[in-house]
DNA sequence: TGTCCACAGGAAATACGGGGGT
DNA sequence: ACCCCCGTATTTCCTGTGGACA
């Protein structure tokens, strides 16, 4: 019998949702929400499934000397994003410290997290905070002073000190100063034996180093291979078991997620994100996670990425994109030249009462839009009619429409 | 063959903000 | 209150350039 009243329909819907719930514990879909112990347990479970075995083995042999009183050299770890570098290292170093303690070897490690790009100053500052050398300054203190503070705080410690520098290449500007300090200066000022662990996702990272630092830096190298589809399936299964109700995922869907993520980067984070999105879609649809839903999740993630990126982007970048969109509309699909886009941008600024930037700066904004894949641009010469970027909007229409909405909201525009 | 357009994109200068030491 | 230090954002100035056109 058809439900008649609002109340009936509501009860019906709720019962349906309960019966077809997919997500059991959403916390396990988002690492941020887990407490530290849970995170470590999760990692352990993943490693137990013999994922990352070779890497852990290599790490062990690299650091084994510590327990014998040797001094291992520094270590450089490479691998693409989402291959578990940070996780593995954290886990490993914790274990190592514990093990060393049980054998009366004094080992300390600090994790200097540079996962967001930051200048030399903040990096040094963070390091100083980690070793308890100073409180968190924002500005206004000289680099020298930070270094001295750090040295003093560490001066009379003995044993081993492992500094785990996560995502080194995120130190913008004066990277050499930063590294010179770590590699050359610090070891001479402290009693403890220093072992540096650098993590980076770019293989050619040491190439662009100051030669004086480079020659000083004796490195052992370790490469994290991207996860393959099998690893990813392991990881997904562990998540699924913890976060979802049993029997809510089609087997083929797991394979598909693993395959997709493995295929394009071997990035575990992406795989989990895809699982999460699929799970929410399934919950909404009141079904299991099916292949079709995975496809839909891929599309939505794609779209979300753009929208999220734009939401948090600086105003000028939004305005620039608005200009490109407008110019692009006007050009009816043909490519737009820099000048045209700039004019449109200036008109837009005029309309919303914002001061437009110079042409030079606009060029940089375009470059930025390009790296975020909002637009595609290439420099083309039209002979005597000059050289320009030819700009095309490289995004599906629906997404462009959504982006326009974001921009309109931001600038309080109607229509 | 040389000219010259319409920009690209590097370098340095400037503006602005804000925090620390004294 | 003053000066110093640092960061980011932007401007100003500049040199460079592929190739259609005269």
């Amino acid at each position: 019998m058809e439900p008649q009243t609002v109340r009936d329909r509501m009860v019906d819907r709720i019962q349906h949702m309960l019966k077809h719930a997919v997500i059991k514990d959403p916390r396990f879909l988002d690492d941020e929400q887990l407490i530290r112990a849970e995170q470590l347990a999760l990692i352990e479970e993943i490693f137990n499934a013999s994922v990352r075995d070779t890497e852990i083995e290599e790490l062990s042999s690299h650091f084994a000397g510590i327990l014998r009183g040797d001094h291992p050299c520094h270590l450089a770890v490479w691998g693409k994003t989402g291959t578990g570098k940070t996780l593995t290292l954290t886990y490993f170093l914790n274990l190592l410290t514990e093990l060393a303690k049980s054998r009366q070897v004094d080992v300390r490690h600090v994790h200097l997290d540079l996962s967001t790009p930051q200048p030399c100053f903040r990096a040094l500052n963070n390091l100083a905070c980690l070793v308890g050398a100073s409180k968190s300054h924002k500005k206004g203190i000289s680099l020298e002073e930070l270094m001295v503070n750090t040295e003093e705080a560490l001066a009379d410690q003995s044993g081993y000190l492992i500094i785990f520098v996560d995502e080194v290449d995120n130190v913008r500007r004066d990277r050499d100063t930063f590294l010179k300090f770590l590699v050359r200066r610090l070891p001479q000022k402290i009693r403890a034996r220093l072992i540096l662990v650098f993590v980076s996702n770019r293989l050619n990272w040491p190439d662009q180093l100051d030669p004086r630092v480079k020659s000083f830096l004796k490195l052992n190298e370790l490469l994290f291979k991207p996860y393959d589809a099998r690893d990813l399936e392991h990881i997904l299964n562990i998540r699924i078991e913890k976060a979802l109700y049993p029997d809510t995922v089609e087997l083929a869907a797991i394979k598909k997620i693993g395959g997709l993520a493995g295929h394009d980067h071997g990035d575990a984070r992406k795989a989990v994100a895809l699982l999460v999105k699929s799970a929410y879609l399934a919950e909404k649809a009141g079904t299991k996670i099916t292949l079709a839903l995975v496809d839909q999740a891929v599309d939505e993630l794609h779209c979300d990425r753009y929208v999220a990126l734009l939401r948090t982007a600086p105003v000028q970048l939004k305005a620039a994109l608005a200009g490109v969109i407008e110019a692009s509309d006007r050009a009816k699909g043909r490519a737009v030249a820099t000048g045209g886009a700039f004019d449109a941008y200036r008109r837009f600024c005029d309309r919303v009462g914002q001061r437009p930037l110079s042409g030079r700066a606009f060029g940089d904004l375009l470059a930025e839009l390009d790296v975020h894949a909002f637009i595609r641009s290439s420099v083309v010469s039209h002979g005597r009619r000059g050289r320009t970027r030819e700009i095309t909007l490289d995004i599906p229409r629906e997404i462009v429409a959504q982006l326009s909405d974001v921009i309109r909201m931001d600038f309080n525009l109607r229509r």
Side-chain angles (χ1 to χ4, degrees), chain A residues 367-386:
Chain A
E368 201 168 328
L369 287 175
D370 200 347
V371 300
H372 292 314
F374 283 107
I375 62 175
R376 214 156 26 137
S377 73
S378 53
V379 273
V380 173
S381 174
H382 296 294
R384 195 167 245 194
R385 282 180 301 148

Side-chain angles (χ1 to χ4, degrees), chain A residues 9-25:
Chain A
R9 286 203 299 275
M10 195 177 91
V11 170
D12 217 48
R13 180 74 192 153
I14 287 175
Q15 273 172 356
H16 182 266
M17 289 299 282
L18 288 180
K19 203 158 112 200
H20 293 276
V22 174
I23 299 167
K24 182 170 68 181
D25 189 350

Side-chain angles (χ1 to χ4, degrees), chain A residues 259-283:
Chain A
L260 280 174
H263 190 70
D264 70 21
H265 280 113
D267 185 337
R269 245 171 309 203
K270 276 191 192 160
V272 172
L274 198 50
L275 174 69
V276 172
K277 193 84 190 178
S278 307
Y280 280 110
L281 287 177
E283 188 132 282

Side-chain angles (χ1 to χ4, degrees), chain A residues 327-355:
Chain A
S328 216
D329 279 350
R330 198 169 295 201
K332 297 265 189 271
R334 267 171 298 136
V336 187
T338 309
F342 186 47
D343 286 345
Y345 158 78
R346 276 205 298 225
R347 277 198 302 276
F348 179 83
C349 285
D350 214 36
R351 199 141 47 93
V352 300
Q354 191 191 34
R355 196 176 56 84

Side-chain angles (χ1 to χ4, degrees), chain A residues 36-306:
Chain A
R36 188 141 189 90
E38 285 172 320
Q39 279 181 13
L40 285 174
L42 192 65
I43 296 167
E44 191 147 28
E45 196 167 336
I46 291 172
F47 290 154
N48 281 340
S50 82
V51 174
R52 296 279 89 129
D53 263 0
T54 40
E55 283 80 5
I56 290 183
E57 206 169 291
E58 294 233 12
L59 283 173
S60 308
S61 45
H62 181 86
F63 284 103
I66 287 186
L67 300 179
R68 282 200 310 268
D70 294 349
H71 188 175
C73 62
H74 303 311
L75 182 67
V77 177
W78 296 322
K80 294 188 181 162
T81 46
T83 50
K85 300 181 295 290
T86 305
L87 239 55
T88 312
L89 260 304
T90 315
Y91 174 77
F92 177 82
L93 290 178
N94 275 331
L95 220 61
L96 181 74
T97 315
E98 220 172 87
L99 191 63
K101 198 192 252 171
S102 72
R103 304 198 184 190
Q104 272 81 50
V105 181
D106 187 12
V107 177
R108 265 186 85 199
H109 71 268
V110 291
H111 178 187
L112 181 59
D113 185 5
L114 308 178
S115 50
T116 50
Q118 49 196 277
C120 179
F121 176 83
R122 278 230 310 268
L124 279 174
N125 195 181
N126 286 344
L127 178 62
C129 295
L130 283 175
V131 300
S134 81
K135 46 183 192 251
S136 167
H137 298 281
K138 293 245 172 77
K139 284 161 189 172
I141 199 167
S142 79
L143 297 177
E144 182 63 27
E145 202 172 330
L146 279 174
M147 293 184 194
V148 172
N149 284 347
T150 309
E151 286 159 5
E152 278 171 1
L154 293 171
D156 45 336
Q157 289 191 21
S158 55
Y160 292 90
L161 175 65
I162 303 174
I163 301 184
F164 168 22
V165 189
D166 208 348
E167 314 264 334
V168 227
D169 37 27
N170 267 338
V171 183
R172 296 166 307 179
R173 187 184 321 216
D174 307 327
R175 186 180 313 158
D176 288 334
T177 315
F178 178 68
L179 289 174
K180 211 184 287 174
F181 171 70
L182 281 181
V183 174
R184 301 194 57 167
R185 190 167 151 180
L186 193 57
Q188 293 173 357
K189 304 275 178 150
I190 62 175
R191 288 227 315 271
R193 303 197 216 182
L194 181 69
I195 304 168
L196 298 168
V197 179
F198 296 110
V199 168
S200 159
N201 39 35
R202 278 190 309 168
L203 285 173
N204 59 348
W205 161 66
D207 293 346
Q208 51 205 322
L209 225 57
D210 186 323
R212 280 168 304 175
V213 176
K214 201 172 162 187
S215 67
F216 226 78
L217 188 62
K218 283 228 184 58
L219 282 175
N220 208 346
E221 298 165 9
L222 172 58
L223 182 68
F224 274 55
K225 288 192 292 295
Y227 292 115
D228 60 23
R230 192 193 62 98
D231 295 335
L232 290 171
E233 271 176 49
H234 265 304
I235 294 171
L236 288 172
N237 276 321
I238 289 170
R239 294 274 181 173
I240 288 170
E241 192 185 306
K242 295 224 185 287
L244 306 185
Y245 287 106
D247 198 31
T248 47
V249 190
E250 286 184 0
L251 203 64
I254 302 178
K255 287 220 178 293
K256 173 142 196 171
I257 295 174
L260 280 174
H263 190 70
D264 70 21
H265 280 113
D267 185 337
R269 245 171 309 203
K270 276 191 192 160
V272 172
L274 198 50
L275 174 69
V276 172
K277 193 84 190 178
S278 307
Y280 280 110
L281 287 177
E283 188 132 282
K284 208 154 84 186
T287 62
K288 290 185 179 188
I289 297 178
T290 61
L291 283 180
L293 283 177
V294 174
D295 282 331
Q296 195 186 336
V298 171
D299 288 346
E300 289 202 10
L301 273 183
H302 194 226
C303 181
D304 287 355
R305 212 197 105 237
Y306 282 112

Side-chain angles (χ1 to χ4, degrees), chain A residues 111 128 349 356 358 390 394:
Chain A
H111 178 187
C349 285
S358 65
E390 291 204 325
D394 195 21

